Amino acid sequence: MDREVGENSFEHGRLGALRRWGRFLCDSRTLKFKDVFTWQLCKTIAMGQALSMLICGTAVTCQYLADAGVETPMLQSFLNYTLLLLTYTFVLAFRRGENNIFQILKTKWWKYFLMALTDVEANYTIVKAYQFTTLTSIQLLDCFVIPVLMVLSWIFLKTRYRPMHFIAVAVCMLGVGAMVGADLLAGRDQGSSSHVLLGDGLVLVSAALYAVSNVCQEYTVKNLSRVEFLGMMGLFGTLISGVQMAILESRAIPVISWNWTICLLFVAYTLCMYGLYSFMPVVVNMSSATAVNLSLLTADLFSLFCGMFLFHYNFSGLYIVSFVVITLGFIMFNIVPTYTADQSNATNDRVYHLASSADVQQDGDIVVDWLQKEGQENEDRIGSRHRAHCNGFCSQI
């Protein structure tokens, strides 16, 4: 009997420890299978992988353009921003009231100019980094965008993360490590190594700029509108990339051997980038910029899978392991929602209010009990006096 009681106590203690660890990692949520794999999570995963495929499309077309001797990153960015201008900026131009493009430019033009400048230079620096460092360094250092993004979200968006989120990011980094290891084993360490420090520095600068751009995007999409963000990015991005293209690529563009293949590659690249810019705010609005960047870690894997058929890359089983690990980390990040500092303060205020109400109720119960006790004692005293008076009267009779 005592042995059974001891075993039950041990089992109860172990379950209690598991519950405490669960509350520490995931807050007070009780995670069930139906609560984890929701339709919202499935949509986020699917759309995140669709974005990765769009990035894969840009990588493949860039590889074909590079093989054809075309290296015009600013021209390619200019075409993408121009397409955004012709769609979303025109939509803003026909709006009325405060959402009209003129009202937006009157009050917030400099903010969107800085956002577009950050985005244009982030795209340019990551392309330039390929000329100075290796693909392995770019894949590893480009992950720097995630911790920078989390820090910026913590400071400016007041986003608060739980321990499960940091564990999920670590799992995704393990997946990236497996991908880089597969590249090294397959001998796919492409790129230049002429100025490694310069190239690595450009990758870090690009990651920081992407983090700033994504934080601004998340704030704009969740507080204003997706169309406003894309319209302003199209307007100022076209201006900035156009000026930069005229300065840096005035000699490279005229020497391009234009044919229908080159034109189709430019069209394919522009459509992939346009789709990426158009749908990324949708996924950011559904989750967060950090979650989207975690899902984009699989873009290199999609590029590798395409490269096996198009460029005859060597296959490694670590690629599959990397894809599974990164996807697992992305799911872990999204099953536990983030929260803001304002929500935390509101929760604390509510707890304090409930505790105060409980104290008041407890104090009121004590007062009521005291009054009832005092009333009972008074009744007892009056009753004893009445009985004594009756006994004395009866004895006189």
Side-chain angles (χ1 to χ4, degrees), residues 66-178:
D67 293 341
V70 179
E71 295 183 358
T72 54
M74 292 312 306
L75 173 61
Q76 294 164 221
S77 296
F78 176 78
L79 294 176
N80 170 50
Y81 289 120
T82 302
L83 195 55
L84 293 175
L85 172 70
L86 294 176
T87 52
Y88 296 102
T89 307
F90 275 13
V91 171
L92 289 178
F94 289 100
R95 281 186 173 181
R96 297 180 179 180
E98 297 181 354
N99 295 325
N100 183 268
I101 186 173
F102 300 106
Q103 295 297 325
I104 296 173
L105 291 175
K106 186 183 299 183
T107 57
K108 296 176 286 189
W109 69 270
W110 62 274
K111 297 180 182 178
Y112 286 113
F113 175 81
L114 294 177
M115 291 168 57
L117 179 64
T118 302
D119 191 72
V120 171
E121 300 310 322
N123 292 328
Y124 181 73
T125 51
I126 192 64
V127 173
K128 292 296 292 183
Y130 280 92
Q131 301 178 10
F132 303 105
T133 189
T134 61
L135 177 64
T136 302
S137 297
I138 292 176
Q139 288 175 331
L140 286 174
L141 296 176
D142 194 41
C143 298
F144 181 65
V145 65
I146 294 174
V148 175
L149 185 56
M150 294 179 73
V151 171
L152 293 178
S153 299
W154 182 287
I155 296 173
F156 296 104
L157 301 181
K158 308 300 180 183
T159 303
R160 297 296 179 260
Y161 300 98
R162 307 191 190 280
M164 177 62 78
H165 296 120
F166 297 103
I167 295 174
V169 171
V171 171
C172 290
M173 295 300 104
L174 289 176
V176 174

Side-chain angles (χ1 to χ4, degrees), residues 296-339:
L296 295 181
L297 293 176
T298 58
D300 290 331
L301 292 171
F302 285 118
S303 299
L304 292 171
F305 295 148
C306 291
M308 292 174 190
F309 298 98
L310 301 176
F311 307 112
H312 307 290
Y313 292 157
N314 295 325
F315 175 77
S316 174
L318 284 177
Y319 291 140
I320 303 298
V321 174
S322 175
F323 180 81
V324 173
V325 172
I326 292 175
T327 305
L328 176 62
F330 177 72
I331 294 174
M332 292 171 60
F333 190 92
N334 283 276
I335 60 176
V336 180
T338 58
Y339 64 101

Side-chain angles (χ1 to χ4, degrees), residues 2-3 57 220 263 321 331 350 364:
D2 294 338
R3 183 179 179 182
T220 306
C263 292
V321 174
I331 294 174
R350 184 181 179 187

Side-chain angles (χ1 to χ4, degrees), residues 378-395:
N378 291 333
E379 290 179 359
D380 292 341
R381 285 196 295 270
I382 293 173
S384 61
R385 291 176 182 174
H386 179 70
R387 286 192 297 270
H389 178 73
C390 290
N391 293 333
F393 180 77
C394 293
S395 61

Side-chain angles (χ1 to χ4, degrees), residues 361-379:
Q361 183 178 2
Q362 183 178 3
D363 294 340
D365 293 339
I366 293 173
V367 172
V368 171
D369 292 340
W370 180 77
L371 291 175
Q372 291 177 350
K373 184 177 180 181
E374 286 293 321
Q376 185 65 33
E377 291 178 352
N378 291 333
E379 290 179 359

Side-chain angles (χ1 to χ4, degrees), residues 36-57:
V36 173
F37 294 97
T38 60
W39 175 243
Q40 180 75 8
L41 177 61
C42 294
K43 286 196 301 183
T44 305
I45 295 174
M47 296 186 70
Q49 297 312 300
L51 294 178
S52 293
M53 291 180 183
L54 290 173
I55 295 180
C56 170

